[in-house]
Amino acid sequence: MNAVPASHTIAEQPALSSALAKFLERKPRLLVNGEWVEAHGKGRIPVIDPATERRIAEIADADAQDVDRAVRAARAAFESGPWAGMLPDEREQLMWRLADLMERHAGELAELESLDNGKPIAMARLIDVPGAISHLRYMSGWASKLDGSTFNTSLRAAPGTKFHTYTVREPVGVVAQIIPWNFPLLMATLKLAPVLATGCTSVLKPAEQTSLSALRLGELIVEAGFPPGVVNILTGLGESTGAALVAHPDVDKIAFTGSTEVGKLINIAATATLKRVSLELGGKSPVIVLPDVDPRAVAAGAAQAVFFNSGQICVAGSRLFVQRRIFDQVVAGVSEVSRSIVMGPGLDEHTQMGPLVSQEQRDRVLSYLQSGRKQGATIVAGGDAPGHKGYYVNPTVIVDVKPDMKIVREEIFGPVLVAQRFDELEEVAAWANDTPYGLAASIWSNDLRAVQRLVPKIKAGTVWVNCHSMIDAGMPFGGYKQSGFGREQGRAGVEMYTELKAVCMAI
Ligand code: ADP
Ligand code: MG
């Protein structure tokens, strides 16, 4: 089969709404101690619309002095003042107020997200904004529901002495939160939600490629009435702002979502003062298709699993394993879907797949395609860029791959699928696990026995069956192996923002 280029022409980015145009005129500022302040750092970072490659705004590159100021504000808010004395239901109400404000501005937030990241506005409206609001509301309930235990101990002391022992959960303290560019608003909100529920404070650093929606969220946080210093937002580069934040001795915990490479650096930096660390890192998630399924229906699911958000999602189903009997049909189906996807600028209502976030990311993905070709793989769909302004890459399906190829081993973070055949269940579990990552996997089958035998064999934090990328505030999310540690969301997620104190009282 030859590579077939996408046949669609790419539309031009529609005009911005006046609300958005006005927001873009905003000066580069940082949110510190409840106020929008000028950065001490003199560096400025251009904000680029990935669909047009045009500069649309600029943000500050916060330096170590800015970081110190923000951490001090977060410390002060944590230790004393209105936040430290607030009751759980008062924090819960503030979170609801913020969620309501986000809902009121949902259209504007979706537009901003789409412009800054490149994602289709329909997706931002359907997933990013409501998802962010849902995380906030879900976590707000935990403010009043965290609890401890009492214990029947066998402690011995002077005759007649009894003991009352129990545990309490206390907020961990000042949290540095560093997030990536693929779901900017959703990431910011889901990181902040457990901070607010538990009574911690945060210094949040959005990704330098996509900081605008976090800044807008900061405005809504101020409007909602959170006390100063509870949430501080610093824009800046990873190597300046990010590195200063993880090195700061007065940060108690770091919550990071991003590349495995940077996650490892952060874990090392955190060791100096033994900060608590939770890491949500990369993935190379397998999609396993057993022979009992309808190949056409599953092809649509497999295409969605890898192409959603232009493949820029840590759980992307980027390795497809199909049982030999239906391999050709499923691969043909995925390729057909890939050619039918309407690629275009985020703000166009018809767009189904937007550009990648940046030129760097586009070049990275194209170089993987080059490497796949060089190592002898066959591209059956896509495989190139459409040759239009904007950081577009055609959705790509690759076969004839070998386990040691770079495109099979490394996370590409773009719309690229590698497909492999298998014969036996035993074999596919081993192949699926043959990766340093362990974030997620999906199994497609209605054969209950086969599915239940496969699930325990898969080394991944989430296993989906007959679906993929289903993420919910109530479900714990995180990785095995080099996909990170700690869990976000659910009870496990909120508990990551607490210390467990045991109290033993002789009575
Ligand atoms: P990508 O390479 O795909 O942009 P990264 O893991 O580099 O992914 O970025 C995720 C987040 O981590 C971003 O907010 C980025 O600024 C930040 N970051 C990058 N390098 C560092 C670092 N050395 N220390 C702290 N944060 C960093
Ligand atoms: Mg990086």
Side-chain angles (χ1 to χ4, degrees), residues 150-371:
T150 57
F151 307 92
N152 291 326
T153 61
S154 304
L155 295 164
R156 290 178 176 83
T161 306
K162 293 190 167 171
F163 291 92
H164 174 42
T165 59
Y166 62 96
T167 50
V168 279
R169 290 215 171 256
E170 298 181 346
V172 70
V174 174
V175 188
Q177 304 192 295
I178 300 178
I179 56 173
W181 43 256
N182 56 346
F183 291 87
L185 179 73
L186 182 56
M187 287 285 167
T189 313
L190 82 78
K191 281 277 183 292
L192 289 173
V195 160
L196 302 175
T198 52
C200 293
T201 59
S202 170
V203 180
L204 173 78
K205 192 200 89 62
E208 54 269 35
Q209 297 87 347
T210 56
S211 293
L212 298 182
S213 56
L215 293 173
R216 186 70 186 104
L217 178 66
E219 293 179 349
L220 299 180
I221 286 169
V222 173
E223 193 179 333
F226 283 92
V230 172
V231 176
N232 306 274
I233 300 176
L234 302 181
T235 56
L237 299 173
E239 52 271 32
S240 51
T241 320
L245 201 46
V246 297
H248 199 292
D250 204 29
V251 166
D252 298 302
K253 168 183 165 71
I254 303 169
F256 173 77
T257 298
S259 62
T260 291
E261 178 196 355
V262 173
K264 288 178 182 176
L265 290 177
I266 285 179
N267 203 35
I268 291 168
T271 301
T273 55
L274 285 183
K275 296 176 176 68
R276 279 74 185 117
V277 178
S278 48
L279 301 174
E280 204 274 272
L281 309 176
K284 190 79 179 170
S285 299
V287 171
I288 303 168
V289 181
L290 304 190
D292 64 286
V293 299
D294 168 7
R296 290 195 71 82
V298 168
Q304 176 72 8
V306 66
F307 297 139
F308 172 53
N309 213 43
S310 302
Q312 303 168 120
I313 177 167
C314 51
V315 296
S318 52
R319 290 183 298 146
L320 177 65
F321 296 95
V322 186
Q323 212 279 344
R324 183 173 303 276
R325 281 211 321 260
I326 56 170
F327 178 84
D328 289 339
Q329 283 167 283
V330 172
V331 168
V334 176
S335 303
E336 201 181 308
V337 172
S338 78
R339 287 184 209 109
S340 74
I341 291 172
V342 179
M343 207 156 40
L347 295 178
D348 188 315
E349 297 285 343
H350 305 293
T351 292
Q352 292 172 335
M353 184 187 282
L356 301 191
V357 73
S358 64
Q359 179 168 354
E360 182 192 1
Q361 192 58 20
R362 197 249 330 255
D363 293 349
R364 193 188 290 176
V365 172
L366 291 177
S367 82
Y368 273 113
L369 298 182
Q370 191 56 28
S371 133

